Coordinates of all heavy atoms in Angstrom, one line a residue:
M1 N 4.5 4.6 -3.6 CA 3.2 4.5 -4.2 C 3.1 3.3 -5.1 O 4.0 3.2 -6.0 CB 2.9 5.9 -4.9 CG 1.6 5.8 -5.6 SD 0.9 7.3 -6.5 CE 2.1 8.5 -6.5
S2 N 2.1 2.5 -5.0 CA 2.0 1.4 -5.9 C 1.3 1.9 -7.2 O 0.6 2.9 -7.2 CB 1.2 0.3 -5.3 OG -0.1 0.6 -5.1
S3 N 1.4 1.0 -8.2 CA 0.7 1.4 -9.5 C -0.8 1.5 -9.4 O -1.4 2.1 -10.3 CB 1.2 0.5 -10.6 OG 0.7 -0.9 -10.3
G4 N -1.4 0.9 -8.4 CA -2.8 0.9 -8.2 C -3.4 2.1 -7.5 O -4.6 2.4 -7.5
D5 N -2.5 2.9 -6.9 CA -2.9 4.1 -6.3 C -3.1 5.2 -7.2 O -2.3 5.6 -8.1 CB -1.9 4.6 -5.2 CG -1.7 3.6 -4.1 OD1 -2.6 2.8 -3.8 OD2 -0.6 3.7 -3.4
T6 N -4.4 5.9 -7.1 CA -4.7 7.1 -8.0 C -5.1 8.2 -7.1 O -5.8 8.0 -6.1 CB -5.7 6.7 -9.1 OG1 -6.9 6.3 -8.4 CG2 -5.3 5.6 -10.0
Y7 N -4.7 9.4 -7.5 CA -5.1 10.6 -6.7 C -5.7 11.6 -7.5 O -5.5 11.6 -8.8 CB -3.8 11.1 -6.1 CG -3.2 10.2 -5.0 CD1 -2.2 9.3 -5.5 CD2 -3.5 10.3 -3.7 CE1 -1.6 8.4 -4.5 CE2 -2.9 9.5 -2.8 CZ -2.0 8.5 -3.2 OH -1.4 7.7 -2.2
E8 N -6.4 12.5 -6.9 CA -6.9 13.6 -7.6 C -6.3 14.9 -6.9 O -6.0 14.8 -5.8 CB -8.4 13.7 -7.7 CG -9.1 13.7 -6.3 CD -10.7 13.7 -6.4 OE1 -11.2 14.2 -7.4 OE2 -11.3 13.2 -5.5
Y9 N -6.3 16.0 -7.6 CA -5.6 17.2 -7.1 C -6.5 18.4 -7.3 O -7.4 18.4 -8.2 CB -4.3 17.4 -7.9 CG -3.3 16.3 -7.6 CD1 -3.2 15.2 -8.5 CD2 -2.4 16.3 -6.5 CE1 -2.4 14.2 -8.2 CE2 -1.6 15.3 -6.3 CZ -1.6 14.2 -7.1 OH -0.7 13.2 -6.9
K10 N -6.3 19.4 -6.5 CA -7.1 20.6 -6.5 C -6.1 21.7 -6.2 O -5.3 21.6 -5.3 CB -8.2 20.5 -5.4 CG -9.1 21.7 -5.3 CD -10.1 21.5 -4.2 CE -11.3 22.3 -4.5 NZ -12.3 22.0 -3.4
V11 N -6.2 22.8 -7.0 CA -5.3 23.9 -6.8 C -6.2 25.1 -6.5 O -7.2 25.4 -7.2 CB -4.5 24.3 -8.0 CG1 -3.6 25.5 -7.8 CG2 -3.6 23.1 -8.3
V12 N -5.9 25.8 -5.3 CA -6.7 26.9 -4.8 C -5.8 28.1 -4.7 O -4.7 28.1 -4.2 CB -7.3 26.6 -3.5 CG1 -8.1 27.8 -2.9 CG2 -8.2 25.4 -3.6
S13 N -6.2 29.3 -5.3 CA -5.4 30.5 -5.2 C -5.8 31.2 -3.9 O -7.0 31.3 -3.5 CB -5.6 31.4 -6.4 OG -6.9 31.8 -6.6
F14 N -4.8 31.7 -3.2 CA -5.1 32.5 -1.9 C -4.4 33.7 -2.1 O -3.1 33.8 -2.1 CB -4.5 31.7 -0.8 CG -4.8 32.2 0.6 CD1 -5.9 32.0 1.3 CD2 -3.8 33.0 1.2 CE1 -6.2 32.6 2.5 CE2 -4.1 33.7 2.4 CZ -5.2 33.4 3.1
R15 N -5.1 34.8 -2.2 CA -4.5 36.2 -2.4 C -4.3 36.9 -1.0 O -5.1 36.8 -0.1 CB -5.5 37.1 -3.2 CG -5.7 36.6 -4.6 CD -6.6 37.5 -5.4 NE -6.6 38.9 -4.9 CZ -7.3 39.8 -5.3 NH1 -8.3 39.6 -6.2 NH2 -7.2 41.0 -4.9
E16 N -3.1 37.5 -0.9 CA -2.8 38.3 0.2 C -3.5 39.6 0.2 O -4.0 40.0 -0.9 CB -1.3 38.5 0.3 CG -0.5 37.2 0.5 CD 0.9 37.4 0.7 OE1 1.3 38.4 1.4 OE2 1.7 36.6 0.3
S17 N -3.6 40.3 1.2 CA -4.3 41.6 1.4 C -3.6 42.5 0.4 O -2.4 42.6 0.2 CB -4.2 42.1 2.8 OG -4.6 43.4 2.9
L18 N -4.5 43.4 -0.2 CA -4.0 44.5 -1.1 C -3.3 45.6 -0.2 O -2.5 46.4 -0.8 CB -5.1 45.1 -1.9 CG -5.7 44.1 -2.9 CD1 -6.9 44.8 -3.6 CD2 -4.7 43.6 -3.9
I19 N -3.6 45.7 1.0 CA -3.1 46.7 1.9 C -2.0 46.0 2.8 O -2.4 45.2 3.6 CB -4.2 47.4 2.8 CG1 -5.2 48.0 1.8 CG2 -3.6 48.4 3.7 CD1 -6.4 48.5 2.6
G20 N -0.8 46.5 2.7 CA 0.3 45.9 3.5 C 0.7 44.5 3.0 O 0.2 44.1 2.0
D21 N 1.7 43.9 3.6 CA 2.2 42.7 3.1 C 2.0 41.5 4.0 O 2.6 40.5 3.9 CB 3.6 42.9 2.7 CG 4.5 43.3 3.9 OD1 3.9 43.5 4.9 OD2 5.7 43.4 3.7
A22 N 1.1 41.7 5.0 CA 0.9 40.6 6.0 C 0.0 39.6 5.5 O -1.1 39.9 4.9 CB 0.4 41.2 7.3
L23 N 0.3 38.3 5.6 CA -0.5 37.3 5.2 C -1.5 37.0 6.4 O -1.2 37.0 7.5 CB 0.3 36.0 5.0 CG -0.4 34.7 4.7 CD1 -1.0 34.8 3.2 CD2 0.5 33.6 4.7
D24 N -2.7 36.8 6.0 CA -3.8 36.6 7.0 C -3.8 35.1 7.3 O -4.4 34.3 6.7 CB -5.2 37.0 6.4 CG -6.3 36.9 7.5 OD1 -6.1 36.3 8.5 OD2 -7.4 37.5 7.2
S25 N -3.1 34.8 8.5 CA -2.9 33.4 8.8 C -4.2 32.8 9.3 O -4.4 31.5 9.1 CB -1.8 33.2 9.9 OG -2.1 33.9 11.0
D26 N -5.1 33.5 9.9 CA -6.4 32.9 10.3 C -7.2 32.5 9.1 O -7.8 31.5 9.1 CB -7.1 33.9 11.2 CG -6.5 34.2 12.6 OD1 -5.8 33.3 13.1 OD2 -6.8 35.2 13.1
K27 N -7.2 33.4 8.1 CA -8.0 33.0 6.8 C -7.4 31.8 6.2 O -8.1 30.9 5.7 CB -8.0 34.2 6.0 CG -8.8 34.0 4.7 CD -8.9 35.3 3.9 CE -9.6 35.0 2.6 NZ -9.6 36.3 1.7
L28 N -6.1 31.8 6.1 CA -5.4 30.6 5.5 C -5.7 29.3 6.3 O -6.0 28.3 5.7 CB -3.9 30.8 5.4 CG -3.0 29.7 4.9 CD1 -3.4 29.3 3.4 CD2 -1.5 30.1 4.9
E29 N -5.7 29.4 7.6 CA -6.0 28.2 8.4 C -7.4 27.7 8.1 O -7.6 26.5 8.1 CB -5.8 28.6 9.9 CG -5.9 27.4 10.8 CD -5.6 27.8 12.2 OE1 -4.5 28.4 12.5 OE2 -6.5 27.6 13.1
K30 N -8.3 28.6 8.0 CA -9.7 28.2 7.7 C -9.8 27.6 6.4 O -10.6 26.6 6.2 CB -10.7 29.5 7.8 CG -10.9 30.0 9.2 CD -11.8 31.2 9.2 CE -11.9 31.8 10.6 NZ -12.6 33.0 10.7
V31 N -9.1 28.1 5.4 CA -9.2 27.4 4.1 C -8.6 26.0 4.1 O -9.1 25.0 3.6 CB -8.4 28.3 3.0 CG1 -8.2 27.5 1.7 CG2 -9.1 29.6 2.8
L32 N -7.4 25.8 4.8 CA -6.8 24.5 5.0 C -7.7 23.5 5.7 O -7.9 22.4 5.2 CB -5.4 24.7 5.7 CG -4.4 25.5 5.0 CD1 -3.2 25.7 5.9 CD2 -4.0 24.8 3.7
N33 N -8.3 24.0 6.8 CA -9.2 23.1 7.5 C -10.4 22.7 6.8 O -10.9 21.6 6.9 CB -9.6 23.8 8.9 CG -8.4 23.7 9.9 OD1 -7.6 22.8 9.9 ND2 -8.3 24.8 10.7
K34 N -11.0 23.7 6.0 CA -12.2 23.4 5.2 C -11.9 22.3 4.2 O -12.7 21.3 4.1 CB -12.6 24.7 4.5 CG -13.8 24.4 3.5 CD -14.1 25.7 2.7 CE -15.0 25.5 1.6 NZ -14.5 24.7 0.5
H35 N -10.8 22.4 3.6 CA -10.4 21.3 2.6 C -10.1 20.0 3.3 O -10.4 18.9 2.8 CB -9.3 21.8 1.7 CG -9.7 22.8 0.6 ND1 -9.9 24.2 1.0 CD2 -10.2 22.6 -0.6 CE1 -10.3 24.7 -0.1 NE2 -10.5 23.9 -1.1
A36 N -9.5 20.1 4.4 CA -9.2 18.9 5.2 C -10.4 18.1 5.6 O -10.4 16.8 5.5 CB -8.3 19.2 6.4
E37 N -11.5 18.8 5.9 CA -12.7 18.2 6.3 C -13.3 17.4 5.1 O -14.0 16.4 5.3 CB -13.7 19.3 6.8 CG -13.5 19.8 8.1 CD -14.4 21.0 8.4 OE1 -15.3 21.3 7.6 OE2 -14.2 21.6 9.5
D38 N -13.0 17.8 3.9 CA -13.4 17.2 2.7 C -12.5 16.1 2.2 O -12.6 15.6 1.1 CB -13.7 18.2 1.6 CG -14.8 19.1 1.9 OD1 -15.8 18.7 2.6 OD2 -14.8 20.2 1.3
G39 N -11.5 15.8 3.0 CA -10.5 14.7 2.7 C -9.4 15.1 1.9 O -8.5 14.3 1.5
W40 N -9.2 16.4 1.7 CA -8.0 16.9 1.0 C -6.8 17.1 1.9 O -6.9 17.7 2.9 CB -8.3 18.2 0.3 CG -9.3 18.2 -0.8 CD1 -10.6 18.5 -0.7 CD2 -9.1 17.7 -2.2 NE1 -11.2 18.3 -1.9 CE2 -10.3 17.8 -2.8 CE3 -8.0 17.3 -2.8 CZ2 -10.5 17.4 -4.2 CZ3 -8.1 16.9 -4.2 CH2 -9.4 17.0 -4.8
G41 N -5.6 16.6 1.5 CA -4.4 16.8 2.3 C -3.5 17.9 1.5 O -3.5 17.8 0.3
L42 N -2.9 18.8 2.2 CA -2.1 19.8 1.6 C -0.8 19.1 1.0 O -0.1 18.4 1.7 CB -1.7 20.8 2.6 CG -0.8 22.0 2.1 CD1 -1.6 22.8 1.0 CD2 -0.4 22.9 3.2
K43 N -0.6 19.3 -0.3 CA 0.6 18.7 -1.0 C 1.7 19.8 -1.1 O 2.8 19.4 -0.9 CB 0.1 18.2 -2.3 CG 1.1 17.5 -3.2 CD 1.4 16.2 -2.7 CE 2.4 15.5 -3.7 NZ 2.8 14.2 -3.1
A44 N 1.3 21.0 -1.4 CA 2.4 22.1 -1.7 C 1.8 23.4 -1.5 O 0.6 23.6 -1.7 CB 3.0 21.9 -3.0
I45 N 2.6 24.4 -1.1 CA 2.2 25.8 -1.1 C 3.3 26.5 -2.0 O 4.5 26.3 -1.7 CB 2.2 26.4 0.3 CG1 1.1 25.8 1.1 CG2 2.0 27.9 0.2 CD1 1.1 26.3 2.6
T46 N 2.8 27.3 -3.0 CA 3.8 27.9 -3.9 C 3.4 29.4 -3.9 O 2.2 29.8 -4.0 CB 3.5 27.4 -5.3 OG1 3.7 26.0 -5.3 CG2 4.6 28.0 -6.2
S47 N 4.4 30.3 -3.8 CA 4.2 31.7 -3.9 C 4.1 32.0 -5.3 O 4.9 31.5 -6.2 CB 5.4 32.4 -3.2 OG 5.3 33.8 -3.4
A48 N 3.1 32.9 -5.7 CA 2.9 33.3 -7.1 C 2.2 34.6 -7.2 O 1.6 35.1 -6.2 CB 2.1 32.2 -7.8
D49 N 2.2 35.2 -8.4 CA 1.3 36.3 -8.7 C 0.0 35.7 -9.0 O -0.1 34.9 -10.0 CB 1.9 37.1 -9.8 CG 3.1 37.9 -9.5 OD1 3.4 38.1 -8.3 OD2 3.9 38.2 -10.4
V50 N -1.0 36.2 -8.2 CA -2.4 35.7 -8.5 C -3.2 36.8 -9.0 O -3.3 37.9 -8.5 CB -3.0 35.2 -7.1 CG1 -4.4 34.7 -7.4 CG2 -2.1 34.1 -6.5
K51 N -3.8 36.5 -10.2 CA -4.6 37.6 -10.9 C -5.8 37.9 -10.0 O -6.5 37.1 -9.5 CB -5.1 37.0 -12.2 CG -5.8 38.1 -13.0 CD -6.1 37.6 -14.4 CE -6.9 38.7 -15.2 NZ -6.8 38.6 -16.6
G52 N -6.1 39.2 -10.0 CA -7.2 39.8 -9.2 C -8.4 39.7 -10.1 O -8.4 39.4 -11.3
R53 N -9.6 40.1 -9.5 CA -10.8 40.1 -10.3 C -11.0 41.4 -11.0 O -11.8 41.4 -12.0 CB -12.1 39.9 -9.3 CG -12.0 38.6 -8.6 CD -13.3 38.5 -7.7 NE -13.3 37.2 -7.1 CZ -14.1 36.8 -6.2 NH1 -15.0 37.6 -5.8 NH2 -14.1 35.6 -5.7
I54 N -10.3 42.4 -10.6 CA -10.4 43.7 -11.3 C -9.1 44.1 -11.8 O -8.1 44.1 -11.2 CB -11.0 44.8 -10.3 CG1 -12.3 44.4 -9.8 CG2 -11.1 46.1 -11.0 CD1 -12.9 45.3 -8.7
G55 N -9.1 44.5 -13.1 CA -7.9 45.1 -13.7 C -7.0 44.0 -14.2 O -7.1 42.8 -13.9
P56 N -5.9 44.4 -14.9 CA -5.0 43.4 -15.6 C -3.9 42.9 -14.7 O -3.2 42.0 -15.0 CB -4.4 44.2 -16.7 CG -4.5 45.7 -16.2 CD -5.7 45.8 -15.3
G57 N -3.7 43.6 -13.6 CA -2.6 43.3 -12.7 C -2.8 42.1 -11.8 O -3.8 41.4 -11.8
A58 N -1.7 41.7 -11.1 CA -1.8 40.5 -10.2 C -1.2 41.0 -8.9 O -0.6 42.0 -8.8 CB -1.0 39.4 -10.8
V59 N -1.6 40.2 -7.8 CA -1.1 40.6 -6.5 C -0.3 39.3 -6.0 O -0.6 38.2 -6.5 CB -2.3 40.9 -5.5 CG1 -2.9 42.1 -5.9 CG2 -3.2 39.7 -5.4
E60 N 0.6 39.5 -5.0 CA 1.3 38.4 -4.5 C 0.3 37.5 -3.8 O -0.7 37.9 -3.2 CB 2.3 38.9 -3.4 CG 3.5 39.5 -4.0 CD 4.7 38.6 -3.9 OE1 4.7 37.7 -3.0 OE2 5.6 38.7 -4.8
G61 N 0.4 36.2 -3.9 CA -0.4 35.3 -3.3 C 0.2 33.9 -3.2 O 1.3 33.8 -3.5
L62 N -0.6 32.9 -2.9 CA -0.2 31.6 -2.7 C -1.0 30.6 -3.6 O -2.3 30.9 -3.8 CB -0.3 31.1 -1.3 CG 0.4 31.9 -0.3 CD1 0.1 31.4 1.2 CD2 1.9 31.8 -0.5
L63 N -0.5 29.6 -4.1 CA -1.2 28.6 -4.8 C -1.2 27.3 -3.8 O 0.0 26.9 -3.5 CB -0.6 28.2 -6.2 CG -0.7 29.2 -7.2 CD1 -0.1 28.8 -8.5 CD2 -2.2 29.6 -7.5
L64 N -2.3 26.9 -3.4 CA -2.4 25.8 -2.4 C -2.7 24.5 -3.3 O -3.8 24.5 -3.9 CB -3.4 26.0 -1.4 CG -3.4 27.4 -0.7 CD1 -4.6 27.5 0.3 CD2 -2.1 27.5 0.1
T65 N -1.9 23.5 -3.3 CA -2.2 22.3 -4.0 C -2.6 21.2 -3.0 O -1.8 20.9 -2.1 CB -1.0 21.8 -4.8 OG1 -0.5 22.9 -5.7 CG2 -1.2 20.7 -5.6
F66 N -3.7 20.6 -3.2 CA -4.3 19.6 -2.4 C -4.3 18.3 -3.1 O -4.4 18.3 -4.3 CB -5.7 20.0 -1.9 CG -5.8 21.2 -1.0 CD1 -6.0 22.4 -1.6 CD2 -5.6 21.1 0.4 CE1 -6.0 23.6 -0.7 CE2 -5.6 22.2 1.2 CZ -5.9 23.4 0.6
E67 N -4.3 17.2 -2.3 CA -4.3 15.9 -2.9 C -5.2 14.9 -2.1 O -5.2 15.1 -0.9 CB -2.9 15.3 -2.9 CG -2.7 13.8 -3.3 CD -1.3 13.3 -3.1 OE1 -0.9 13.1 -1.9 OE2 -0.6 13.2 -4.1
R68 N -5.9 14.0 -2.7 CA -6.6 13.0 -2.0 C -6.8 11.8 -2.8 O -6.8 11.9 -4.1 CB -8.0 13.5 -1.5 CG -9.0 13.7 -2.5 CD -10.4 14.1 -2.0 NE -11.3 14.4 -3.0 CZ -12.5 15.0 -2.8 NH1 -12.8 15.4 -1.6 NH2 -13.3 15.2 -3.8
P69 N -6.9 10.6 -2.2 CA -7.1 9.4 -3.0 C -8.4 9.5 -3.8 O -9.4 10.0 -3.4 CB -7.2 8.3 -2.0 CG -6.5 8.8 -0.8 CD -6.8 10.4 -0.8
R70 N -8.4 9.1 -5.0 CA -9.6 9.0 -5.9 C -10.5 7.9 -5.4 O -10.0 6.8 -5.1 CB -9.1 8.8 -7.3 CG -10.2 9.1 -8.3 CD -9.6 8.9 -9.7 NE -8.7 9.9 -10.1 CZ -8.9 11.1 -10.7 NH1 -10.1 11.3 -11.1 NH2 -8.0 11.9 -11.0
A71 N -11.7 8.3 -5.3 CA -12.7 7.3 -4.8 C -13.1 6.2 -5.9 O -12.9 6.4 -7.0 CB -14.0 8.0 -4.4

């Protein structure tokens, strides 16, 4: 990367189903493709506890980090 290259980043949380432990790969694929259409490239996927909308607890999920050149 040269010193003139600048990037912007976006982090999206992806929660797994509350029932069972199977990751919805079709839903994940749709999220990845939607961001790719907007010029975002997947930089990293990190497993994490993702806070839910209801209650104090968190559920297993993924943090998707996207990168694209800054316009």
